[in-house]
Amino acid sequence: QKEVEQDPGPLSVPEGAIVSLNCTYSNSAFQYFMWYRQYSRKGPELLMYTYSSGNKEDGRFTAQVDKSSKYISLFIRDSQPSDSATYLCAMSAKGFQKLVFGTGTRLLVSP
Amino acid sequence: DAGVTQSPTHLIKTRGQQVTLRCSPKSGHDTVSWYQQALGQGPQFIFQYYEEEERQRGNFPDRFSGHQFPNYSSELNVNALLLGDSALYLCASSPDSMNTEAFFGQGTRLTVV
């Protein structure tokens, strides 16, 4: 069993839709949770960073962490075609030492 | 600020050869981590360097080695290349003193033929 599970998709939505992306994990030591966006053949770009449980909002993006269920989510409001990319969840037990990534979910937003 | 820079961007090598990839961290960052990302997969942690020492290592064979220089830049070396080493190699930098964001470079795409 992988430490971090993420549905690879693709997830196809129309422009303007609310997108929900999720990851589950098995290691209860994880305390730091991140979402990265990766365009094709580019490096990952950090979108959201959350410590422990709770919600964090930044513009159209909201990250949620439920440590009791070992479940994290990223919501994208008013999705745009430019949001089409692969979204990677990542987590670590201590700061940014050894990030453990999910496989990534490919998101396609159609005009 | 140039961010994290990696070189070269693309590389083609033959099985059995050796390769060196280079990374310059973001200004003010002293910790460098290397990841391997196979096609369709998430990045896998190779190792992390801090104060010119390997601080943590993932599940990669000894063919993978690295180095960090006094200016915090880093190299990843892979010996005896295998076809399975073909991947995007990513470098990430962060400031060790704070639990803040890790920034990734654009990566080096290595193809082993």
Side-chain angles (χ1 to χ4, degrees):
Chain A
Q1 183 189 6
K2 290 183 178 181
E3 280 190 284
V4 180
E5 299 279 358
Q6 185 175 12
D7 188 331
L11 176 62
S12 296
V13 301
E15 183 176 355
I18 296 175
V19 175
S20 173
L21 303 166
N22 311 293
C23 289
T24 59
Y25 63 94
S26 58
N27 188 344
S28 58
F30 288 146
Q31 299 186 77
Y32 299 87
F33 304 92
M34 291 129 269
W35 286 95
Y36 285 86
R37 177 174 64 195
Q38 186 174 30
Y39 292 109
S40 180
R41 299 182 177 273
K42 302 292 186 183
E45 171 194 9
L46 182 68
L47 289 175
M48 300 290 285
Y49 161 61
T50 310
Y51 171 68
S52 195
S53 287
N55 294 359
K56 185 174 183 178
E57 186 173 323
D58 184 2
R60 297 186 295 112
F61 299 93
T62 299
Q64 289 185 350
V65 174
D66 182 348
K67 290 188 68 178
S68 63
S69 301
K70 297 189 178 67
Y71 188 88
I72 69 170
S73 301
L74 177 71
F75 297 95
I76 307 174
R77 291 181 297 280
D78 188 24
S79 56
Q80 302 296 311
S82 58
D83 294 328
S84 298
T86 295
Y87 289 79
L88 296 154
C89 64
M91 44 201 81
S92 69
K94 183 179 179 182
F96 281 85
Q97 293 184 18
K98 189 186 176 184
L99 293 178
V100 180
F101 283 84
T103 55
T105 297
R106 193 155 73 96
L107 173 66
L108 302 172
V109 182
S110 55
Chain B
D1 184 359
V4 180
T5 58
Q6 293 186 243
S7 63
T9 54
H10 297 85
L11 204 52
I12 300 175
K13 288 287 189 178
T14 304
R15 273 182 304 173
Q17 285 189 316
Q18 179 264 346
V19 68
T20 298
L21 311 181
R22 296 176 175 84
C23 171
S24 292
K26 186 177 172 64
S27 177
H29 289 186
D30 55 7
T31 302
V32 173
S33 302
W34 287 92
Y35 291 80
Q36 180 195 66
Q37 186 177 24
L39 199 61
Q41 301 296 316
Q44 298 290 315
F45 177 78
I46 303 175
F47 41 53
Q48 183 180 81
Y49 276 84
Y50 172 67
E51 291 189 339
E52 303 180 50
E53 296 286 333
E54 183 182 290
R55 176 161 67 178
Q56 197 173 13
R57 188 179 182 92
N59 189 25
F60 278 81
D62 291 343
R63 298 187 297 109
F64 289 77
S65 63
H67 189 78
Q68 185 178 36
F69 298 94
N71 66 353
Y72 308 123
S73 67
S74 177
E75 288 182 349
L76 164 66
N77 300 293
V78 186
N79 294 323
L81 285 167
L82 303 174
L83 295 179
D85 294 332
S86 296
L88 181 67
Y89 288 85
L90 296 162
C91 171
S93 74
S94 58
D96 181 71
S97 59
M98 300 165 58
N99 290 321
T100 58
E101 296 89 337
F103 292 86
F104 281 83
Q106 294 288 72
T108 293
R109 183 160 298 281
L110 172 65
T111 302
V112 182
V113 297

